[in-house]
Amino acid sequence: MCGSQCFLFRGNRVQMALSVSKVADRCYRTFNAKACVAQMMESACCRVPLACCRPRVLILHALFWGVVALRVFGAALLAEDKLAAKVAVVPCWLLEEFVVTAECAQCDAFQTTRPACGQTGYVEKVNCTKSNRDDYKSCRSAVTEESFFWKFEGVMLSGTALSAILVVLRQRRLDRLASDKVRRQIESI
């Protein structure tokens, strides 16, 4: 394989015999196939196919990695453009102080079209102090959070009880096995 490294295995030590990537680099610079093959034969375990040193293969590699680089950098540029578009639609409560004018409540049928409603299903009305603009902010209901908390606590307590029962059962089994072993040793005497 092109660009790989080979190793000689002698006893428990692994020694690097020849870095094929260095040899291939020399072949890339010289385009001398016979010298490349001669350098490859220095090591008994390393053989790079002659096709790795041909100019056509090198051009194909350069073309492939160029396309990969364009795809990566193009995707990064597109992501920056999308981020710039999102920055223009920042709600006022992220940039300045605000006062809550209506407490957290579940979204009704009319409010479900708002983006703030889509995150948690609950929304509160806020008034930004500098711009004096009313806006809606997603919030979490205390009732919903409490029910999630108690569900979590129930699952954790159930897991604890199950683990304790399994530990007791396993300990009884191990004690029984140990007493059987001692009994068999005593009987063999």
Side-chain angles (χ1 to χ4, degrees), residues 4-95:
S4 62
Q5 295 178 346
C6 63
F7 298 93
L8 289 176
F9 296 98
R10 292 184 183 160
N12 292 334
R13 291 178 25 202
V14 176
Q15 299 175 340
M16 185 166 317
L18 177 66
S19 175
V20 177
S21 61
K22 290 180 185 176
V23 173
D25 185 44
R26 284 187 221 128
C27 294
Y28 294 173
R29 283 187 266 132
T30 61
F31 294 102
N32 187 351
K34 289 184 180 180
C36 181
V37 172
Q39 288 175 354
M40 297 298 167
M41 294 304 162
E42 288 177 10
S43 169
C45 71
C46 293
R47 292 204 170 77
V48 173
L50 186 61
C52 290
C53 300
R54 291 189 180 150
R56 180 178 53 201
V57 174
L58 298 176
I59 291 170
L60 288 175
H61 275 280
L63 183 65
F64 171 74
W65 289 112
V67 169
V68 169
L70 283 175
R71 293 284 300 189
V72 169
F73 292 125
L77 290 174
L78 286 176
E80 287 177 7
D81 290 344
K82 288 180 182 177
L83 182 63
K86 286 184 180 179
V87 170
V89 191
V90 174
C92 69
W93 52 268
L94 283 175
L95 302 174

Side-chain angles (χ1 to χ4, degrees), residues 89-98 126 128 135 137:
V89 191
V90 174
C92 69
W93 52 268
L94 283 175
L95 302 174
E96 55 187 88
E97 299 284 329
F98 63 89
V126 295
C128 298
D135 205 355
K137 179 180 179 283

Side-chain angles (χ1 to χ4, degrees), residues 102-173:
E103 290 297 320
C104 189
Q106 191 168 10
C107 298
D108 57 11
F110 172 71
Q111 290 177 333
T112 54
T113 58
R114 298 181 193 271
C117 241
Q119 295 174 358
T120 60
Y122 289 86
V123 70
E124 64 186 359
K125 188 175 182 180
V126 295
N127 185 355
C128 298
T129 54
K130 289 183 183 176
S131 63
N132 199 19
R133 197 174 99 189
D134 285 338
D135 205 355
Y136 288 93
K137 179 180 179 283
S138 181
C139 62
R140 295 182 179 218
S141 169
V143 175
T144 307
E145 289 294 316
E146 186 178 2
S147 70
F148 284 150
F149 170 76
W150 287 114
K151 287 177 185 176
F152 174 77
E153 285 293 320
V155 169
M156 291 300 112
L157 285 173
S158 302
T160 302
L162 181 65
S163 297
I165 291 170
L166 289 175
V167 166
V168 168
L169 292 175
R170 185 172 188 275
Q171 187 63 45
R172 286 181 183 173
R173 182 173 175 262

